[in-house]
Amino acid sequence: MSHFTHMKTRFQNLFYLEKALNKLNIVNKQQEKVNTELNSYNANLVIPQSNGYDIEFTWNGKEYELVVDMSFWEQSHPIENSIDKVAQQYAGEAVIGESQKIGFQHVKYQQNSDGSNTLVLERWNSEK
């Protein structure tokens, strides 16, 4: 018997979430959904698993929840570690993307041996 777990996240931007998964070499695909009652569109991200019990990031109206049947978790790391890695990469992608919108340029993104990341951005002031 399957019991799906819905884990709340802070992932609100599909673009940054997809980018984070790709940078972590986590195979994923977009699954488009149209809500006919409200005639609205959203996309979920699906992480396929060989056992057929895929992992989904599903939009709940505020954020992308992780939906998974814990008994069929087939990833290389435990779920908590996997979510932490995705969250850390997502945060870096969001900082880079949003800072570029206000004129910063991404100079360096480094993963350190202690698990932390170093991110260097720069912006030149053209005013004299």
Side-chain angles (χ1 to χ4, degrees):
M1 184 173 185
S2 294
H3 295 284
F4 288 98
T5 301
H6 293 253
M7 296 179 70
K8 292 209 179 270
T9 69
R10 299 273 184 199
F11 308 138
Q12 297 177 330
N13 186 299
L14 182 66
F15 176 74
Y16 296 141
L17 178 56
E18 189 172 27
K19 221 171 162 183
L21 293 172
N22 290 338
K23 288 251 174 110
L24 293 169
N25 296 315
I26 298 173
V27 175
N28 65 85
K29 60 184 178 184
Q30 278 196 24
Q31 179 184 51
E32 298 174 359
K33 294 197 175 192
V34 176
N35 184 340
T36 55
E37 290 177 20
L38 302 173
N39 203 19
S40 64
Y41 161 85
N42 65 28
N44 297 332
L45 284 180
V46 176
I47 300 170
Q49 295 195 120
S50 61
N51 62 10
Y53 292 90
D54 296 342
I55 300 165
E56 281 191 40
F57 284 98
T58 305
W59 182 250
N60 69 9
K62 289 179 16 183
E63 62 197 7
Y64 284 92
E65 288 182 324
L66 178 68
V67 180
V68 62
D69 186 332
M70 301 292 279
S71 352
F72 295 101
W73 182 261
E74 199 178 68
Q75 301 300 303
S76 58
H77 300 290
I79 192 165
E80 295 82 9
N81 293 18
S82 295
I83 290 299
D84 287 346
K85 286 179 184 280
V86 172
Q88 187 176 32
Q89 190 67 45
Y90 175 90
E93 296 302 327
V95 167
I96 291 169
E98 296 304 308
S99 63
Q100 286 176 336
K101 290 178 183 178
I102 57 171
F104 284 89
Q105 291 189 11
H106 167 230
V107 175
K108 177 177 154 185
Y109 189 93
Q110 174 182 321
Q111 293 185 325
N112 303 314
S113 59
D114 66 357
S116 66
N117 292 331
T118 301
L119 177 60
V120 178
L121 304 167
E122 69 180 9
R123 180 170 72 174
W124 295 95
N125 187 354
S126 60
E127 297 176 22
K128 293 182 181 185

